[in-house]
Amino acid sequence: MKRLNLIFIIIFIILITLLSRVYFLSIKSNTYYEELSKRNYIKKIYKVPNRGIIKDRNGVPLAMNKLGFSINIRPHLRSYKKKHILDNLVNLINENFPKYSKDSLYKEYKKLDSNYKHDFVKIVEFIPYEEFFDKYTLFNSNDDIEIKSEVKRVYPEGKNASHIIGYVGRASKIDIQNNEFSKHSGIIGKNGLEKYYNKELQGKLGEKTVKVNALNKEVEVLDEKDPSSDNDLTISIDIELQKYIQEIFGNDSGAIIVMDARNGEILSAGSYPEFDNNIFVDGISIDDWNKMKNDFNHPFTNKLINGLYPPGSVIKMGIALSFLDNGIKPDYEIYDSGFIQIGNRKFRDWKPTGHGKVGFVKAIKESCDTFFYKGSLLVGINKISKSLRDYGIGEETGIDLVNEFYATNPNKDWKEKKYNQPWYIGDTINASIGQGYMTVTPMQIARYTAFLATGKLPRPHFSKLNYEEPKEIEYNKNYMKIIRQGMYEVTNKPKGTAYYHVRESKITLAGKTGTAQVVSIPQSEKVRMKESELKYYHRSHAWLTTYGPYKNPQYVVTVLVEHGGHGGSAAGHVVSKIYNKLEELGYIKN
């Protein structure tokens, strides 16, 4: 009896197991296999929108899409039996478009074809519409070839505003991991506005769900959603002004910024020398890359936000304002004999005979170094550094470009952390005239100049998408009047450091020159050499930052000429012509 019960139990267990398996296969697995089956005959195709056009403020295209076609070949043609088909297709392409060699076509096909690939292989990525049009029928009638419409990013203005606009390039594996859209488009913004506003410019994918047969041919459209079409970007640049500025700047290296002092909107910004963005779209050649990389003028560096320079004397207005905010009286004066001596070291003024009796206005007007040496020793570097940070020095400006540098606004803690060294009196003296450890970017100087003009710190921007209300900064209006008076006399009074150099301007300006040393001057040097006597790459950088009109500040123009020597002589004529152009174009209204 026990044996019989055991047999019944075993039979029962087997039956339950079989029934459970039948249930799983017939019911539970149904959903899985149904979904798998759908994948065999339902296909989702993503539709990539045309990348948005970048336009200047007047609607002139700065980045656009050129129409063309790609040539795609049927997969799995590498076998011995089918190789003659591949040979004929390669010959057809080479005969009609000789720039594509047979070897390169074979190489591209072998790289992309695989046993698991069922889509046609893209063997030629882009041929312009006008080149391909009369041969379209010849290629499209071949069943082993698939012709697809394509677009290619082009930059019609070439070198103009290249650092601002940026460029697109082929999406890398890392790009695709971070941005799935680029998997379908194949390209992504790599620099400039193309990168900063990549999400807006690329738009949103469309989708088409289709039913296909065993040969992967579409037989029915089940659902369709169009891609976005509202992804254009209008920026604040005036390309006419941009081209004019590039023309008058000539072959010099440096940077120029024209900014609305009231809201941070940028009308023009150039980092020179520029380069043609078009060379990056298909991938830059090794020769072109090495040529750019080895150029001592650094054309690939965006000097607007990545160029780090000593500010020289253009920082003196901020230093003077810090003196006033930290207890030095507005009627403070010194007597300048041409230097001060600390221990065994002399810190010389740029004028060997000195400036005589000097107060705040004269110190800015004539750029008296000794005034700032002595004042800085009364206030101290930590207070000066804090004031400058309030004015935007050593801080990101927030501009809509990628990888902006902070630059260096030094103080005691900074040096201790960076170099594990104490701060010396000489460090303070050097910082007081914008030398030593202090560095800035041209964009920081333009923004800081806008603060001096309006009392507010704007956020520089090319697109309204990046606009924010200018930052309110606490300051004493009476103190600011002194600073502005000094800047006015720089450009409008005899002995002002820019007086003889901006007289072409039809607009009354306020400004400040700066001569930022590239190499230090030895203590044994009693008389400073003329900039023209130095080797080019040892010459000082030349600054001139301005705002105008003086009584109704509207625009800031900041110019940096690398190795230009004196700011007034190197940049004054450029600044004057820019303001005259702003008036001619109707931007400045007195």
Side-chain angles (χ1 to χ4, degrees):
M1 190 68 181
K2 288 182 179 180
R3 286 185 178 181
L4 190 60
N5 288 339
L6 181 60
I7 291 171
F8 284 140
I9 290 171
I10 292 172
I11 292 172
F12 179 76
I13 291 172
I14 292 172
L15 286 174
I16 292 296
T17 301
L18 290 173
L19 288 172
S20 298
R21 186 62 181 162
V22 169
Y23 172 78
F24 176 80
L25 290 174
S26 61
I27 299 175
K28 295 292 288 183
S29 296
N30 182 62
T31 304
Y32 169 78
Y33 287 109
E34 185 179 356
E35 189 63 33
L36 196 63
S37 175
K38 283 182 180 178
R39 291 179 191 175
N40 290 330
Y41 73 91
I42 295 177
K43 184 177 180 181
K44 183 175 284 189
I45 301 171
Y46 291 97
K47 300 165 70 176
V48 179
N50 288 338
R51 191 171 178 86
I53 297 171
I54 300 177
K55 306 172 186 177
D56 88 334
R57 65 190 303 119
N58 299 311
V60 178
L62 306 178
M64 55 191 296
N65 306 305
K66 188 173 185 178
L67 297 178
F69 300 93
S70 64
I71 301 176
N72 304 266
I73 290 179
R74 186 179 298 282
H76 313 147
L77 298 179
R78 291 181 296 159
S79 65
Y80 178 78
K81 290 183 179 180
K82 296 181 179 179
K83 190 175 183 302
H84 67 284
I85 300 175
L86 179 60
D87 291 340
N88 290 336
L89 297 175
V90 167
N91 288 334
L92 179 66
I93 296 170
N94 175 254
E95 288 168 5
N96 286 276
F97 303 102
K99 67 179 179 179
Y100 298 104
S101 70
K102 293 180 182 179
D103 287 342
S104 65
L105 292 171
Y106 280 122
K107 185 177 179 180
E108 188 70 11
Y109 184 83
K110 289 175 181 178
K111 182 175 76 173
L112 298 176
D113 184 41
S114 75
N115 293 330
Y116 304 102
K117 185 176 182 66
H118 300 291
D119 295 326
F120 277 59
V121 178
K122 184 180 287 186
I123 195 170
V124 176
E125 291 205 354
F126 184 87
I127 299 176
Y129 178 87
E130 60 274 12
E131 289 183 32
F132 196 85
F133 179 74
D134 60 345
K135 296 166 184 174
Y136 181 86
T137 303
L138 172 66
F139 280 84
N140 199 47
S141 60
N142 190 315
D143 289 339
D144 294 313
I145 291 178
E146 180 183 62
I147 303 303
K148 287 187 174 181
S149 61
E150 301 284 351
V151 293
K152 180 180 178 180
R153 200 65 162 171
V154 294
Y155 303 96
E157 295 297 334
K159 292 185 176 182
N160 283 303
S162 60
H163 291 88
I164 298 167
I165 300 165
Y167 54 86
V168 299
R170 294 176 183 174
S172 66
K173 290 182 179 179
I174 294 176
D175 291 329
I176 292 170
Q177 286 174 6
N178 297 328
N179 183 329
E180 189 178 354
F181 184 100
S182 63
K183 174 183 177 182
H184 305 286
S185 66
I187 64 167
I188 196 168
K190 293 287 188 178
N191 208 345
L193 296 174
E194 288 275 32
K195 182 171 184 178
Y196 193 93
Y197 290 112
N198 183 71
K199 184 178 179 181
E200 289 78 10
L201 289 165
Q202 69 185 12
K204 295 180 180 178
L205 291 169
E207 294 179 1
K208 184 168 74 167
T209 305
V210 297
K211 189 180 289 186
V212 296
N213 61 18
L215 298 176
N216 205 32
K217 292 276 188 180
E218 293 182 17
V219 293
E220 183 183 354
V221 176
L222 301 177
D223 188 32
E224 190 165 9
K225 177 185 175 184
D226 290 331
S228 62
S229 58
D230 57 347
N231 49 341
D232 290 349
L233 180 69
T234 298
I235 63 174
S236 57
I237 289 295
D238 184 327
I239 196 61
E240 181 181 347
L241 177 64
Q242 185 82 20
K243 288 191 284 190
Y244 175 76
I245 289 174
Q246 187 172 47
E247 180 184 330
I248 63 175
F249 198 61
N251 295 321
D252 287 332
S253 297
I256 296 180
I257 298 163
V258 181
M259 179 196 296
D260 191 318
R262 299 157 294 189
N263 58 26
E265 186 177 74
I266 296 177
L267 283 183
S268 175
S271 172
Y272 304 104
E274 300 264 32
F275 59 87
D276 190 341
N277 280 325
N278 290 295
I279 65 176
F280 287 94
V281 175
D282 292 325
I284 187 170
S285 69
I286 294 175
D287 288 343
D288 285 339
W289 173 249
N290 286 333
K291 185 178 178 182
M292 291 179 65
K293 187 176 68 172
N294 297 326
D295 188 334
F296 284 160
N297 293 315
H298 307 293
F300 194 56
T301 298
N302 186 346
K303 296 168 185 177
L304 301 167
I305 60 169
N306 301 135
L308 299 178
Y309 305 93
S313 295
V314 294
I315 205 66
K316 287 177 177 175
M317 300 85 76
I319 301 284
L321 195 56
S322 180
F323 289 174
L324 292 164
D325 283 337
N326 286 289
I328 294 182
K329 301 298 182 184
D331 59 357
Y332 171 74
E333 288 184 335
I334 66 152
Y335 184 84
D336 173 27
S337 60
F339 67 93
I340 66 169
Q341 186 155 347
I342 305 294
N344 295 323
R345 182 174 180 183
K346 284 185 177 180
F347 292 87
R348 297 186 179 88
D349 194 281
W350 70 265
K351 187 177 181 181
T353 58
H355 298 265
K357 187 180 288 187
V358 181
F360 276 96
V361 172
K362 185 177 178 180
I364 295 171
K365 171 189 173 184
E366 298 184 17
S367 202
C368 173
D369 294 332
T370 308
F371 180 90
F372 293 93
Y373 295 159
K374 292 184 176 181
S376 68
L377 295 179
L378 295 175
V379 173
I381 189 60
N382 283 356
K383 291 179 180 178
I384 292 171
S385 179
K386 181 183 182 304
S387 296
L388 293 179
R389 193 166 300 280
D390 290 341
Y391 313 151
I393 302 302
E395 295 281 343
E396 289 179 327
T397 67
I399 191 169
D400 37 359
L401 292 174
V402 295
N403 301 323
E404 181 181 12
F405 287 177
Y406 287 90
T408 302
N409 176 8
N411 56 30
K412 293 179 180 180
D413 288 342
W414 172 86
K415 188 179 180 186
E416 179 68 33
K417 289 177 183 177
K418 187 167 181 67
Y419 296 109
N420 195 27
Q421 293 178 0
W423 185 271
Y424 299 109
I425 290 175
D427 295 331
T428 300
I429 291 173
N430 283 331
S432 74
I433 59 167
Q435 294 289 164
Y437 297 113
M438 186 178 292
T439 59
V440 295
T441 66
M443 194 61 67
Q444 285 178 357
I445 292 298
R447 185 186 187 218
Y448 144 89
T449 305
F451 160 68
L452 296 173
T454 67
K456 296 180 181 180
L457 202 59
R459 181 177 189 171
H461 62 277
F462 296 102
S463 168
K464 291 179 180 178
L465 296 174
N466 199 45
Y467 173 75
E468 65 178 30
E469 287 293 323
K471 186 179 178 182
E472 298 280 352
I473 304 293
E474 287 187 19
Y475 68 94
N476 184 302
K477 291 185 178 179
N478 291 325
Y479 296 165
M480 189 67 88
K481 283 180 182 178
I482 296 171
I483 305 302
R484 291 171 181 163
Q485 181 64 31
M487 295 179 72
Y488 171 81
E489 295 195 9
V490 165
T491 56
N492 294 281
K493 294 289 185 179
K495 292 190 178 181
T497 54
Y499 174 66
Y500 292 105
H501 306 293
V502 295
R503 299 178 75 178
E504 296 176 43
S505 174
K506 299 174 184 178
I507 307 299
T508 302
L509 308 178
K512 184 72 187 75
T513 59
T515 302
Q517 293 172 13
V518 175
V519 294
S520 61
I521 299 174
Q523 283 289 294
S524 59
E525 191 81 35
K526 304 298 183 187
V527 179
R528 188 176 294 183
M529 291 178 69
K530 294 179 180 178
E531 291 289 338
S532 58
E533 295 172 345
L534 295 170
K535 292 180 180 179
Y536 175 77
Y537 287 106
H538 287 180
R539 294 177 191 169
S540 301
H541 298 315
W543 288 95
L544 179 54
T545 190
T546 62
Y547 67 84
Y550 170 65
K551 290 186 178 179
N552 179 26
Q554 296 169 40
Y555 288 93
V556 164
V557 176
T558 297
V559 177
L560 168 74
V561 183
E562 289 184 340
H563 311 292
H566 182 266
S569 58
H573 68 290
V574 173
V575 168
S576 298
K577 289 179 178 179
I578 290 172
Y579 278 103
N580 292 343
K581 190 69 172 179
L582 288 171
E583 184 182 51
E584 177 190 323
L585 294 173
Y587 289 111
I588 288 183
K589 299 175 176 62
N590 282 309

